């Protein structure tokens, strides 16, 4: 099974507000993406490839409403809180996106531990004088457990920064061991993000390095599936598809020059290149 994830981040913000959304007004943005992709994605064998799209919270309902019966698109949310309703808590979670709230809306997946989430948690802990990297892994572990308790499947992201790269084996090993402690690993897919290679002016991770990390993850976790989370795009889709140990990828932006942004037809082209159809 190949897993093709789409992380739409905050691509809903229009250019007038510093964003990249040229697709649709905000109230139709989620629906627009589903409507423009689900028919072509339905051509693929669901036994061979699955498609999950992670939406910002405001767009989940419109995305779900646009799914036709039998749609191949599974809708997910962008992270969940580390506590939830039940056991005496009835919903007093102001500002927090709990797993039960997302499952009640209709989500079936969530992404946890993306490098941007990890960076945010590190920054908050640093303000409190905490520099223990394991603390971030433990917080993410709580989120995974809440997601699974609510019935959500999890894409769990790991990755090393430029400063951490010389010790990548220790860093990634701790992220796996601590983040996955006590969880149902059969309902988690790992996404590897080479944080040190992501962004303008950075040298992309090469095939040999990605393959090495994928093998390490599988060995460390007893064979869990691992996808490339550093950005599946047109210029690396065929290369990533040729790595036997990689089980899919995470797509975000589709255009990096000119009118930068996410465009559904370019997303579909990335998938065609990766799947080879």
């Amino acid at each position: 099974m190949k897993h093709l994830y789409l992380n739409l981040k905050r691509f809903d913000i229009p250019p007038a507000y510093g964003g990249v959304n040229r697709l649709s007004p905000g109230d139709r943005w989620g629906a627009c993406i589903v409507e423009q992709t689900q028919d072509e994605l339905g051509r693929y064998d669901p036994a061979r490839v699955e498609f999950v799209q992670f939406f910002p919270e405001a767009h989940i309902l419109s995305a779900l409403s646009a799914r036709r019966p039998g749609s191949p698109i599974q809708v997910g949310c962008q992270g969940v809180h580390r506590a939830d309703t039940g056991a005496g808590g009835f919903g007093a979670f102001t500002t927090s996106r709990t797993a039960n709230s997302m499952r009640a809306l209709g989500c079936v997946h969530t992404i946890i531990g993306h490098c941007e989430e990890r960076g945010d948690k590190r920054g908050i802990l640093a303000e409190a004088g905490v520099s223990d990297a394991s603390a971030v892994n433990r917080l993410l572990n709580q989120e995974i457990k809440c997601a699974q308790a609510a019935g959500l499947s999890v894409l769990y992201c790991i990755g090393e920064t430029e400063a951490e790269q010389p010790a990548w084996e220790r860093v990634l090993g701790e992220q796996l061991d601590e983040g996955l402690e006590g969880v149902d690993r059969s309902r988690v897919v790992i996404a590897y993000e080479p944080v040190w290679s992501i962004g303008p002016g950075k040298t992309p991770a090469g095939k040999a390095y990605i393959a090495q990390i994928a093998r390490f993850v599988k060995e460390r976790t007893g064979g869990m599936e691992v996808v490339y989370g550093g950005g599946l795009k047109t210029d690396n889709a065929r290369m990533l598809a040729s790595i036997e140990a990689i089980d899919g990828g995470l797509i975000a932006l589709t255009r990096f020059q000119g009118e930068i942004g996410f465009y559904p037809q370019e997303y579909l082209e990335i998938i065609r290149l990766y799947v080879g159809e």
Side-chain angles (χ1 to χ4, degrees):
M1 171 70 79
K2 294 295 185 181
H3 309 274
L4 292 173
Y5 298 96
L6 171 62
N7 182 13
L8 289 157
K9 299 192 179 184
R10 285 254 60 109
F11 301 157
D12 58 325
I13 302 170
Y17 292 91
V20 297
N21 173 22
R22 299 177 179 85
L23 292 177
S24 168
D27 62 341
R28 286 279 304 153
W29 186 74
C32 176
I33 291 169
V34 172
E35 290 166 354
Q36 292 189 32
T37 60
Q38 65 183 339
D39 287 342
E40 181 163 340
L41 295 181
R43 297 174 44 245
Y44 297 95
D45 182 354
R48 293 185 55 232
V49 58
E50 72 166 358
F51 303 100
V52 180
Q53 297 181 355
F54 298 110
F55 286 88
E57 186 171 347
H59 305 284
I60 287 171
L61 287 178
S62 71
L64 287 167
S65 69
R67 293 178 72 250
R68 57 171 169 71
S71 175
I73 293 173
Q74 302 175 55
V75 173
C77 61
Q78 297 181 338
V80 296
H81 190 49
R82 64 184 181 277
D84 213 335
T85 51
F90 60 88
F93 296 97
T94 302
T95 80
S96 297
R97 182 173 53 243
T98 77
N100 280 333
S101 70
M102 294 297 96
R103 189 69 185 91
L105 286 181
C107 290
V108 292
H109 287 263
T110 188
I111 181 171
I112 291 174
H114 188 280
C115 64
E116 292 159 4
E117 181 187 7
R118 286 182 181 274
D120 179 59
K121 283 181 165 55
R122 281 196 301 269
I124 293 170
L125 290 169
E127 288 294 322
V130 177
S131 59
D132 178 12
S134 292
V136 173
N137 297 329
R138 294 194 299 270
L139 291 172
L140 297 173
N141 176 257
Q142 293 172 34
E143 294 177 2
I144 295 174
K145 288 176 177 175
C146 279
Q148 292 192 332
L152 300 175
S153 295
V154 174
L155 179 65
Y156 176 54
C157 301
I158 65 169
E160 78 280 32
T161 64
E162 185 174 1
E164 294 169 331
Q165 192 183 10
W168 69 265
E169 188 168 357
R170 175 187 59 77
V171 171
L172 299 184
E174 289 175 353
Q175 291 176 0
L176 290 167
D177 296 346
E178 295 166 356
L180 297 174
E181 182 180 0
V183 310
D184 179 357
R185 297 188 177 196
S186 70
R187 294 164 56 206
V188 179
V189 172
I190 304 299
Y192 168 61
E193 298 180 279
V195 185
W196 53 269
S197 76
I198 300 172
K202 301 290 184 66
T203 301
K207 178 178 179 177
Y209 191 86
I210 296 168
Q212 173 184 244
I213 299 296
R215 290 192 298 268
F216 169 80
V217 171
K218 289 181 181 292
E219 292 168 3
R220 188 82 171 211
T221 63
M224 290 180 69
E225 293 180 302
V226 55
V227 303
Y228 182 67
L232 174 59
K233 44 200 172 187
T234 54
D235 62 3
N236 66 9
R238 287 199 173 100
M239 178 273 285
L240 291 169
S242 71
I243 302 177
E244 184 177 356
I246 288 289
D247 302 298
L250 180 59
I251 300 166
L253 286 175
T254 62
R255 188 180 303 175
F256 300 87
Q257 295 179 343
E259 292 191 334
I260 294 169
F262 171 81
Y263 296 90
Q265 295 309 308
E266 295 171 355
Y267 161 72
L268 294 172
E269 176 61 18
I270 293 168
I271 290 170
R272 286 191 287 268
L273 290 170
Y274 181 83
V275 179
E277 296 182 13

